[in-house]
Amino acid sequence: MAKKLIPARTIVICDCCGNERDQSNGRLEAKVDIFRNGLDAYGHAVASNNASYDLCDTCMIAVGKAVQQVFNGANPEGAT
């Protein structure tokens, strides 16, 4: 009897559009990490509210453009 070892496959789903990231849309292996802390009245960190998002290439390009617009002074829809 022969045994065949098949390694586990990690499937990454885009947190923005819900598509599976594969060879056609996952060349960037994009991930956005947001680090933020809740502060009390004295400015001390009291809570963490971090977020992490896995993105496909298409969504990462869109997020990159939105970030560039914010830094360039334009206000994309929904940003304050």
Side-chain angles (χ1 to χ4, degrees):
M1 182 182 310
K3 289 184 181 180
K4 187 183 231 182
L5 177 63
I6 301 173
R9 179 176 172 222
T10 301
I11 299 173
V12 179
I13 305 296
C14 177
D15 289 321
C16 186
C17 68
N19 290 330
E20 181 178 328
R21 197 166 71 188
D22 57 19
Q23 291 177 348
S24 67
N25 66 3
R27 286 178 241 113
L28 296 176
E29 292 188 15
K31 181 178 204 122
V32 174
D33 291 319
I34 299 172
F35 300 100
R36 53 192 171 202
N37 291 314
L39 305 177
D40 64 10
Y42 302 103
H44 301 122
V46 294
S48 175
N49 191 13
N50 297 337
S52 180
Y53 304 100
D54 289 307
L55 301 173
C56 68
D57 291 353
T58 304
C59 293
M60 185 62 224
I61 291 168
V63 167
K65 286 179 181 179
V67 169
Q68 285 178 340
Q69 286 179 347
V70 169
F71 283 113
N72 290 335
N75 191 8
E77 187 177 331
T80 56

